[in-house]
Amino acid sequence: MHAARYELLKTDEKTKARRGRLTTPHGAIETPVFMPVGTAATVKAMKPEDVAKAGAEIILSNTYHLYLRPGADVVEKAGGLHTFMNWDGAILTDSGGFQVFSLGDLRKISEEGVSFRSHIDGSSHMMTPETCVDIQNALGADIIMAFDECTPYPADRDYVKNSLERTTRWLERCKAHHKDVERQSLFGIMQGGVYADLRIQSAKEIVEMDLPGYAIGGLSVGEPKPLMYEILDSCVDYLPPDKPRYLMGVGSPDCLFEGVERGIDMFDCVLPTRVARNGMAITSQGNLNIKNAKFEYDYTALDPECDCYTCKNYSRAYLRHLFKADEILSAMLLTTHNITFLLNIMSNIRKAIAGNRFQSYKKEFFEKYEVKQNADTCTEGSAGL
Amino acid sequence: MHAARYELLKTDEKTKARRGRLTTPHGAIETPVFMPVGTAATVKAMKPEDVAKAGAEIILSNTYHLYLRPGADVVEKAGGLHTFMNWDGAILTDSGGFQVFSLGDLRKISEEGVSFRSHIDGSSHMMTPETCVDIQNALGADIIMAFDECTPYPADRDYVKNSLERTTRWLERCKAHHKDVERQSLFGIMQGGVYADLRIQSAKEIVEMDLPGYAIGGLSVGEPKPLMYEILDSCVDYLPPDKPRYLMGVGSPDCLFEGVERGIDMFDCVLPTRVARNGMAITSQGNLNIKNAKFEYDYTALDPECDCYTCKNYSRAYLRHLFKADEILSAMLLTTHNITFLLNIMSNIRKAIAGNRFQSYKKEFFEKYEVKQNADTCTEGSAGL
């Protein structure tokens, strides 16, 4: 019995959108779900119970970051990540592959794994499928990710093909090395860049390993959004319907809708937390830059339609003041809003699928929400360095 | 009828320690009280309801800072400081005198007031007793402070004498200019440096104006602690027993006990919030530097005797990790602990006075609490720049 079990509750009548439930040792997760990112064992600028209050049932944390600091042993001796960070809900740890490959010149790939230098202190390390599983076993998340190479965009077809085949071999090694499947579920990661046939090849190879879940990696790394949607269209059906599908590193409202429509169940992204710290609020009217002078005397809520803690209690004028005065409360309040806003979208999407209203809800949402003009490429990414 | 009314409930049998209650338009404040500092309309790194949960009934905010940013009119149009910052409890605004005089070469004093340049953008401003009251009227705090000159330590006796006499004249102008005494209570500020006779002169002059409360300013500005205690001993009795006495800018645990013992009712200090952001926790065992390597695998609470949110839910190992990873949650959790810790001390002090146990509680506290060796001068200060 795998730690995480997926139940498909309902498929939308007009699209591939799915309503499901993923049961983990730390509770059930209603899908489609957005997972807030807590890179270094904290969703930046939020107390964990406020993350739960915002509606989160699962968060993501980063193997690479925690391995380097504070070290997997520090977390393990605390009793694992849940205890260490005071989060009772489910946790997914990414494999560190994305971060290691983001290191560029600081890393070197071989069949064995990747040798790299720490971005913190320059120290030398080697990560292999086996050590990656060992670290994630020590961290103790409910869902752990296979060690993969996240190929960049653009990338040469031969490179992508060789890479995805090595990712498959690494997945075999991860699976062989991971023992306690009742405590932690290992998800495989599909690669293949923007080549539909390679995506299908990768999907077939990883699905053969009969894992409790499958991720789609290597998208949202700089390719145009229409191309990402096209690739999703070409490969999602090769993933089994009775397992959860996780589109890694995606989290802007438009991409969430497009992903759900194509049959995706799980998403994560640093976008809502990162832009919050830069004074950007994601609202039902589109993105709002709180620094803007026009908000100086604006005593209305950030988003008049939002019921989050921030929108119920603070004005744009106050939030602008906090940001300009470089106050920590600015990051706290904007992060709370952005996380709540995305989780509310997902909750509405789930209700819409249940009621066969997914497309009408999507239409209604985008009648008000203005997609940022320069956001037509996917560069939101996962938690980089 | 003044906005703030003080009721002396009990005087300790062996010391001058007083148990009282200060009633304001925003609730009753049990004294002796410590007021957390929210310089820019936010107690840094805490949500206001968490400040209330920590036990705060009144906070302090800064006229100088709010005048410059966001501007008193922005706060006034919001409906005042309480609404602007979402704080239902009482607020005291300092006069800005301390901050303006901290500007050094950037300010120039005359009988009329002080002309100065903003530390933010260098713009020119003039603050007089009248404008200081106007700004504080616009901010709308329950208690407002007279415009004074906070003389430095050391300072020439003639300078201090001339300065305190001008501060008295400024207080007369503040009192004459402040109209709505039922909404806001104006407190006068005693000066006089470390000269006992000048302190007494200042006390007599300001008490004659029959104000709802009196502050002792110009202490905790660098003089040795024993000298501060000596000055308090020499002048506190010249303040009327039926009015609250506020020792400005004081907040280390030892100074709180010594102040209470000498008949002080109110304190404020940036110490607990500022040191929290530098990784310092104030605990029942003394100060603890969370950066210390010895906490790497320490899974005990910051302070095993503390019942605050941080101590109930997080370990030293986790807090050390957050600080080293430069996570905002570090400041949030350490600030919550430090504020709760100081407010718990004040709560215990109030109970001890009520039970005629003040001295035994003080003794018990200092049997465990180690006063920092290099902290024998008073440099905690108010909220500087």
Side-chain angles (χ1 to χ4, degrees):
Chain A
M1 179 87 125
H2 284 295
R5 298 179 308 283
Y6 178 75
E7 189 186 354
L8 176 58
L9 300 174
K10 167 104 170 64
T11 302
D12 182 49
E13 288 174 0
K14 293 172 191 156
T15 69
K16 293 183 188 172
R18 293 142 51 96
R19 174 73 183 87
R21 183 171 297 133
L22 185 63
T23 305
T24 76
H26 287 84
I29 297 146
E30 305 300 324
T31 64
V33 65
F34 175 77
M35 303 182 283
V37 176
T39 305
T42 161
V43 175
K44 288 185 198 300
M46 287 185 81
K47 294 193 291 185
E49 67 264 42
D50 290 338
V51 177
K53 265 184 218 158
E57 294 171 330
I58 179 169
I59 60 168
L60 179 145
S61 201
N62 286 81
T63 297
Y64 169 82
H65 291 84
L66 295 175
Y67 162 71
L68 291 180
R69 187 171 59 195
D73 62 330
V74 170
V75 177
E76 186 174 31
K77 284 175 184 154
L81 201 44
H82 297 83
T83 308
F84 187 58
M85 69 179 289
N86 186 35
W87 171 256
D88 281 338
I91 303 177
L92 179 149
T93 41
D94 78 354
S95 65
F98 177 81
Q99 284 76 28
V100 167
F101 286 95
S102 302
L103 289 168
D105 289 348
L106 291 172
R107 49 93 178 148
K108 204 176 149 190
I109 312 169
S110 66
E111 183 64 26
E112 174 62 10
V114 184
S115 59
F116 64 95
R117 286 182 179 276
S118 158
H119 75 285
I120 300 171
D121 61 9
S123 55
S124 293
H125 302 265
M126 173 84 187
M127 198 177 276
T128 68
E130 289 77 16
T131 60
C132 178
V133 165
D134 285 341
I135 297 165
Q136 292 187 85
N137 287 167
L139 297 176
D142 303 275
I143 299 171
I144 66 177
M145 300 304 296
F147 191 59
D148 67 327
E149 179 182 358
C150 176
T151 43
Y153 176 83
D156 177 80
R157 184 188 158 86
D158 283 350
Y159 182 86
V160 172
K161 184 171 162 64
N162 287 332
S163 169
L164 83 85
E165 289 169 356
R166 185 172 51 215
T167 286
T168 299
R169 293 190 297 275
W170 283 357
L171 176 57
E172 285 165 354
R173 286 165 57 190
C174 284
K175 190 187 174 192
H177 198 70
H178 177 55
K179 307 297 181 198
D180 193 351
V181 298
E182 287 185 30
R183 188 171 77 102
Q184 298 181 289
S185 284
L186 173 69
F187 279 24
I189 303 176
M190 178 213 292
Q191 289 291 346
V194 293
Y195 304 99
D197 61 324
L198 297 184
R199 284 279 166 187
I200 293 167
Q201 176 189 339
S202 177
K204 286 180 175 170
E205 288 177 7
I206 65 175
V207 167
E208 218 161 90
M209 283 182 245
D210 191 25
L211 296 164
Y214 298 97
I216 301 173
L219 289 179
S220 188
V221 293
E223 77 282 6
K225 284 182 180 179
L227 183 53
M228 175 172 92
Y229 303 148
E230 191 187 312
I231 293 298
L232 287 179
D233 284 331
S234 71
C235 68
V236 170
D237 291 340
Y238 290 86
L239 297 175
D242 61 341
K243 298 292 172 65
R245 302 150 175 180
Y246 162 28
L247 179 57
M248 304 182 83
V250 163
S252 66
D254 52 326
C255 290
L256 292 175
F257 275 95
E258 299 297 329
V260 167
E261 186 159 358
R262 286 162 176 83
I264 301 297
D265 306 299
M266 303 167 70
F267 303 86
D268 83 283
C269 194
V270 297
L271 177 84
T273 43
R274 182 172 292 168
V275 300
R277 298 195 301 284
N278 292 321
M280 181 80 81
I282 310 171
T283 79
S284 58
Q285 278 89 45
N287 292 340
L288 177 157
N289 188 332
I290 200 65
K291 295 184 284 286
N292 202 309
K294 72 180 172 192
F295 300 130
E296 187 172 8
Y297 296 94
D298 185 342
Y299 300 107
T300 63
L302 209 46
D303 184 346
E305 296 183 22
C306 180
D307 66 347
C308 83
Y309 168 76
T310 303
C311 290
K312 274 190 299 189
N313 294 298
Y314 303 91
S315 66
R316 292 171 175 180
Y318 182 64
L319 294 167
R320 177 174 185 271
H321 161 64
L322 291 180
F323 185 84
K324 289 183 69 78
D326 205 18
E327 286 288 347
I328 288 173
L329 189 59
S330 170
M332 293 164 63
L333 295 179
L334 288 180
T335 303
T336 296
H337 167 77
N338 283 353
I339 289 292
T340 308
F341 184 78
L342 285 198
L343 293 175
N344 282 348
I345 289 180
M346 299 313 289
S347 170
N348 291 336
I349 285 178
R350 289 193 297 271
K351 284 178 206 149
I353 298 171
N356 283 314
R357 297 182 288 102
F358 176 75
Q359 280 181 318
S360 66
Y361 173 57
K362 182 184 168 193
K363 186 161 171 278
E364 181 192 315
F365 182 87
F366 286 105
E367 270 164 15
K368 281 179 291 184
Y369 183 87
E370 196 186 329
V371 178
K372 240 175 67 185
Q373 300 226 318
N374 58 352
D376 49 7
T377 53
C378 286
T379 51
E380 302 155 5
S382 248
L385 305 171
Chain B
M1 179 86 127
H2 284 298
R5 298 179 307 281
Y6 178 75
E7 188 186 356
L8 175 59
L9 300 174
K10 166 107 172 64
T11 303
D12 183 48
E13 287 174 1
K14 293 173 189 154
T15 70
K16 294 185 190 171
R18 294 142 50 96
R19 173 75 184 85
R21 183 171 298 134
L22 185 62
T23 306
T24 77
H26 287 86
I29 297 145
E30 304 300 324
T31 63
V33 65
F34 175 77
M35 303 182 282
V37 176
T39 304
T42 160
V43 175
K44 289 186 196 301
M46 287 184 80
K47 293 191 293 185
E49 66 263 44
D50 290 338
V51 177
K53 266 185 216 158
E57 294 171 329
I58 179 169
I59 61 168
L60 180 145
S61 202
N62 288 81
T63 298
Y64 169 82
H65 291 84
L66 296 175
Y67 162 70
L68 290 180
R69 187 171 57 195
D73 62 329
V74 170
V75 176
E76 186 174 29
K77 284 175 185 153
L81 201 44
H82 297 84
T83 308
F84 187 58
M85 69 180 289
N86 186 34
W87 170 257
D88 281 337
I91 302 177
L92 180 151
T93 41
D94 78 354
S95 64
F98 177 82
Q99 284 77 28
V100 167
F101 286 95
S102 301
L103 289 169
D105 290 348
L106 290 172
R107 49 92 178 146
K108 204 177 151 189
I109 312 171
S110 66
E111 183 63 27
E112 174 64 10
V114 184
S115 60
F116 63 95
R117 287 184 178 275
S118 159
H119 75 285
I120 300 171
D121 61 8
S123 55
S124 293
H125 302 265
M126 173 85 186
M127 197 176 280
T128 69
E130 290 77 15
T131 60
C132 178
V133 165
D134 284 340
I135 297 165
Q136 292 187 84
N137 287 167
L139 297 175
D142 303 275
I143 299 171
I144 66 177
M145 300 303 296
F147 191 58
D148 66 327
E149 179 182 359
C150 176
T151 43
Y153 176 85
D156 176 77
R157 185 189 156 86
D158 283 349
Y159 183 88
V160 172
K161 184 171 161 61
N162 287 333
S163 169
L164 84 84
E165 289 169 358
R166 184 172 51 215
T167 286
T168 298
R169 292 190 297 275
W170 283 356
L171 175 58
E172 284 165 356
R173 287 164 57 189
C174 284
K175 191 187 172 192
H177 197 71
H178 177 55
K179 307 296 181 200
D180 192 352
V181 297
E182 286 185 32
R183 189 172 75 104
Q184 299 182 289
S185 284
L186 172 70
F187 280 24
I189 304 177
M190 179 213 292
Q191 290 290 345
V194 294
Y195 305 98
D197 61 325
L198 297 183
R199 284 281 165 186
I200 293 167
Q201 176 188 338
S202 176
K204 286 181 176 169
E205 289 176 9
I206 65 174
V207 167
E208 217 161 274
M209 282 182 247
D210 190 26
L211 296 164
Y214 298 96
I216 301 172
L219 289 178
S220 189
V221 293
E223 77 283 7
K225 285 183 180 179
L227 183 53
M228 176 172 91
Y229 303 148
E230 193 188 311
I231 293 298
L232 287 179
D233 284 331
S234 71
C235 67
V236 170
D237 291 340
Y238 290 86
L239 297 174
D242 61 340
K243 298 290 172 66
R245 301 150 176 182
Y246 162 28
L247 179 57
M248 303 183 84
V250 163
S252 67
D254 51 327
C255 289
L256 292 175
F257 275 96
E258 299 298 330
V260 167
E261 187 159 356
R262 287 162 175 82
I264 301 297
D265 307 300
M266 302 167 69
F267 303 87
D268 82 284
C269 194
V270 296
L271 177 85
T273 42
R274 181 172 292 169
V275 300
R277 298 194 301 283
N278 292 321
M280 181 81 81
I282 310 172
T283 80
S284 57
Q285 277 89 47
N287 293 341
L288 178 156
N289 188 332
I290 200 62
K291 295 185 282 288
N292 202 308
K294 72 180 173 192
F295 300 132
E296 186 172 8
Y297 296 95
D298 185 342
Y299 300 106
T300 63
L302 210 46
D303 185 345
E305 295 181 24
C306 180
D307 67 345
C308 82
Y309 169 75
T310 303
C311 290
K312 275 191 297 189
N313 294 298
Y314 303 90
S315 66
R316 292 170 175 181
Y318 182 64
L319 293 166
R320 177 175 185 272
H321 160 64
L322 290 180
F323 185 85
K324 289 182 70 78
D326 206 17
E327 287 288 349
I328 288 173
L329 189 59
S330 170
M332 293 164 63
L333 295 180
L334 288 179
T335 303
T336 297
H337 167 77
N338 283 354
I339 288 292
T340 309
F341 183 77
L342 285 199
L343 293 175
N344 283 348
I345 288 180
M346 299 313 289
S347 169
N348 290 337
I349 284 178
R350 289 194 296 271
K351 285 179 206 149
I353 299 171
N356 283 313
R357 295 181 290 101
F358 176 75
Q359 281 182 319
S360 67
Y361 173 57
K362 182 185 170 193
K363 188 161 170 278
E364 183 193 311
F365 182 87
F366 286 105
E367 271 164 13
K368 281 177 291 183
Y369 183 87
E370 198 185 327
V371 179
K372 239 175 68 188
Q373 301 226 316
N374 59 353
D376 49 7
T377 53
C378 285
T379 52
E380 303 154 7
S382 248
L385 306 172

